[in-house]
């Protein structure tokens, strides 16, 4: 008689490693066609479609970094105070009218262009004003408190590469370079659906044997953070024909389909069969926990990420599988979640051959952060996400972790 097992990871067949899955994703998923120019204010979160070269220098002119007095360095006595007559005043946004001649100072303000001849600015706090004169202490260096033309961006340099996702700082840089619009990839349209006869829409009545759909809200949030357009297809029952019809329709008008639930091996798990029958299945099990049942394939020509039903697993596999698919489709630079050194405050046993992620909170400590394991670990525990800071990552080869040992920490901000 076959041995019964309570380990839902025990049954046979080889599992694909997460690195191999990632490689497969970038090999099989190609960027969509289509580039558009959008106004800078509409470009947040979009993927740059061309390299960007600076047509102007930033800053465009030598200017003052402080409020003070612009002078000629060679006029200053290195050994004692120097007294200079103030002849002019130049504020930000105004053209310095005259060049600075020997023995004079110009009152200047932050961001104002240096008058020709001036090569150092004395902070107003560091000198003394006496009528028309300013008395300057010794000890300043040439070019102190000035900003040189092009010191941030020399003209002609490449500042951003195609594939960069535009965040607030990138938009600021593009604006400083004078771009009113930028070439970006077409926005992806992504179909999102939940599967399950038990799953109901929040706001609807709930029978005792039903649950509210949590995944679609997690996944829609994650998708929107990536700047894609979400086409929300709601909840699809565990019926092969209905599911197949929904997937085929989704494939016709979207760049990617993201589903949750129904990818395991239960009799009511129909997503995998639908992919196999109406497209092709690339993988359906990964060597990770949580999140082992996760499918990648295509329906027609449209790629599909079939994420597991348990919310924690859905979130993690979104990060590990769906997000790279989106990056491949949008031609954007792949995001690599950084891991930070930390100390485990817990002991842990695991099987070799799969990567495990443990939900943890960071304890305030001096030195390396200490990670406390969340006391509930089921992959369906939503509070295990809302009450923790990130994941401890235990590599494939690890089988035991002792309390006090080094461990890699991945904050949620790196992951999603
Ligand atoms: P499945 O992968 O379909 O077997 O689902 C695994 C577990 O996740 C089951 O307990 C489901 O009830 C639960 N589940 C599936 N879909 C959702 C969802 N959209 N929101 C919350 N829980 C879900
Ligand atoms: Mg299900």
């Amino acid at each position: 008689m076959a041995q019964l097992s309570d380990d839902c990871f025990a049954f046979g067949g080889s599992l694909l490693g997460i690195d191999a899955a990632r490689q497969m994703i970038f090999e099989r998923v190609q960027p969509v066609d289509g580039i558009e120019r959008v106004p800078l204010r509409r470009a947040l979160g979009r993927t740059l479609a061309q390299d960007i070269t600076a047509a102007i220098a930033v800053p465009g002119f030598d200017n003052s970094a402080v409020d003070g007095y612009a002078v000629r360095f060679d006029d200053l006595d290195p050994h004692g105070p120097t007294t200079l007559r103030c002849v002019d005043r130049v504020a930000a946004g105004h053209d310095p009218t005259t060049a600075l001649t020997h023995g004079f100072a110009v009152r200047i303000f932050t961001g104002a262009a240096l008058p020709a001849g001036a090569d150092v600015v004395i902070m107003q706090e560091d000198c003394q004003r006496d009528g028309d004169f300013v008395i300057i202490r010794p000890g300043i260096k040439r070019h102190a408190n000035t900003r040189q033309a092009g010191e941030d961006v020399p003209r002609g340099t490449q500042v951003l590469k195609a594939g960069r996702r535009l965040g607030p700082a990138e938009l600021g840089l593009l604006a400083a370079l004078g771009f009113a619009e930028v070439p970006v990839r077409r926005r992806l349209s992504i179909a999102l659906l939940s599967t399950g006869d038990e799953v109901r829409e929040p706001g609807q009545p709930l029978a005792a044997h039903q649950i509210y759909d949590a995944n679609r809200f997690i996944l829609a949030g994650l998708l929107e953070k990536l700047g894609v357009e979400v086409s929300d297809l709601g909840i699809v029952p565990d019926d092969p024909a209905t599911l197949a019809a929904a997937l085929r329709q989704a494939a016709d008008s979207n760049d990617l389909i993201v589903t949750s639930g129904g990818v395991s091996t239960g009799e009511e798990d129909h997503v995998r069969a639908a992919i196999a029958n109406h497209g092709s299945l690339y993988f359906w099990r990964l060597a990770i926990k949580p999140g082992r049942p996760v499918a990648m394939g295509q329906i027609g020509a449209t790629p599909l990420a079939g994420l597991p039903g348990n919310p924690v697993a859905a979130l993690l596999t979104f990060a590990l599988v769906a997000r790279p698919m989106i990056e491949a489709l949008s031609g954007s630079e792949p995001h690599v979640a950084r891991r930070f050194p930390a100390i485990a405050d817990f002991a842990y046993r695991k099987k070799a051959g799969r990567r495990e992620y443990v939900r943890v909170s960071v304890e305030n400590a001096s030195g390396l952060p200490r990670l406390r394991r969340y006391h509930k670990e089921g992959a369906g525990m939503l509070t295990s996400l809302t009450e923790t800071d990130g994941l401890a990552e235990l590599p494939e080869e690890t089988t035991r972790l002792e309390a006090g040992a080094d461990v890699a920490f991945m904050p949620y901000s790196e992951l999603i």
Side-chain angles (χ1 to χ4, degrees):
M1 202 177 94
Q3 201 186 338
L4 291 177
S5 170
D6 64 357
D7 181 350
C8 65
F9 289 87
F11 63 96
S14 69
L15 304 177
L16 187 66
I18 188 66
D19 294 331
R22 191 178 165 87
Q23 197 183 332
M24 186 183 287
I25 289 167
F26 285 104
E27 277 167 14
R28 302 220 172 161
V29 181
Q30 298 305 315
V32 296
D33 291 331
I35 291 176
E36 56 188 2
R37 299 188 72 83
V38 297
L40 214 46
R41 284 281 280 112
R42 302 256 61 85
L44 183 66
R46 304 292 296 271
T47 300
L48 203 56
Q50 288 162 8
D51 298 341
I52 298 288
T53 300
I56 59 171
V58 178
F61 51 93
D62 295 349
N63 67 94
S64 179
V66 297
D67 294 331
Y69 295 87
V71 303
R72 304 175 77 109
F73 180 78
D74 292 332
D75 284 351
L76 301 176
D77 180 347
H79 307 296
T82 306
T83 301
L84 300 172
R85 180 189 284 274
C86 298
V87 285
D88 204 353
R89 183 181 187 280
V90 52
H94 297 267
D95 204 5
T97 43
T98 49
L100 182 62
T101 42
H102 275 301
F104 293 98
V106 163
R107 182 75 170 119
I108 197 165
F109 300 92
T110 309
L114 289 185
D119 55 1
V120 58
V121 176
I122 319 299
M123 267 172 91
Q124 60 192 21
E125 292 82 354
D126 291 341
C127 48
Q128 213 181 311
R129 185 72 193 243
D130 182 7
D132 282 349
F133 294 90
V134 59
I135 303 155
I136 296 161
R137 288 200 298 257
I140 192 100
K141 294 199 174 85
R142 196 188 293 272
H143 301 306
N145 301 319
T146 68
R147 303 188 281 217
Q148 311 299 306
E151 71 173 22
D152 189 358
V153 184
R155 198 183 134 170
T157 46
Q158 192 187 84
V159 284
L160 295 170
K161 281 199 159 148
R164 175 68 80 100
R165 279 200 67 220
L166 299 173
E170 284 77 13
L171 296 187
L173 176 57
L174 290 164
L177 292 167
F179 288 91
E181 46 180 42
V182 275
V184 295
R185 291 262 182 192
R186 171 170 77 70
R187 192 192 288 280
L188 299 180
S189 170
I190 300 189
L192 174 63
L193 60 90
S194 295
T195 70
D197 284 351
E198 77 281 32
V199 182
R200 282 288 172 278
E201 190 70 18
Q204 297 299 308
L206 196 71
H209 52 275
Q210 297 174 330
I211 61 169
Y212 284 125
D213 187 351
N215 292 347
R216 234 165 75 249
F217 294 83
I218 296 174
L219 298 171
L222 294 170
L223 288 168
E224 269 154 22
K225 271 178 89 171
L226 292 179
V228 303
E229 197 159 305
V230 179
S231 155
D232 189 342
L233 304 186
I235 302 161
V236 178
D238 288 321
D239 170 64
T242 314
L243 180 65
L247 293 179
R248 281 162 60 188
Q249 204 190 334
D252 283 343
S253 47
N254 293 282
D255 300 303
L256 174 70
I257 305 167
V258 176
T259 67
S260 73
V263 280
S264 200
T265 49
E267 276 170 31
E268 295 298 339
D269 292 324
H270 303 299
V271 173
R272 186 161 54 93
I275 304 171
N277 294 338
H278 301 280
S280 27
L281 186 68
Y282 300 146
F283 61 76
W284 61 281
R285 296 198 306 163
L286 289 186
I288 55 167
K289 184 186 175 187
R292 187 194 51 145
V294 48
M296 182 209 165
Q298 59 188 66
I299 299 279
T302 305
L304 179 147
L307 309 182
N310 280 308
V312 177
L315 179 137
L316 178 65
T317 54
F318 179 91
L320 297 177
V321 174
R323 183 177 183 165
M325 291 173 80
I326 291 166
E327 289 161 352
L329 281 167
S330 63
S332 59
E333 255 168 30
H335 168 79
V336 180
R338 285 171 300 176
R339 280 77 165 161
F340 300 98
I343 305 290
D345 252 359
F346 56 91
Y348 195 84
R349 300 281 171 272
K350 69 181 271 296
K351 287 213 171 116
R354 70 185 182 214
R355 199 178 298 179
E356 296 199 14
Y357 293 91
V358 183
R359 281 144 277 162
V360 292
S361 307
V362 178
E363 305 263 303
N364 279 331
S366 55
L368 290 181
R370 298 191 79 86
L371 305 183
R372 184 160 36 96
R373 182 183 179 187
Y374 193 65
H375 59 284
K376 301 183 207 172
E377 66 166 328
M381 299 281 185
L382 286 153
T383 52
S384 72
L385 294 174
T386 57
E387 297 300 313
T388 56
D389 300 312
L391 303 170
E393 184 181 52
L394 306 180
E396 284 77 355
E397 60 279 11
T398 297
T399 54
R400 51 197 298 150
L401 181 78
E402 303 306 336
D406 293 345
V407 69
F409 174 54
M410 203 164 33
Y412 290 130
S413 56
E414 282 293 317
L415 192 67
I416 48 180

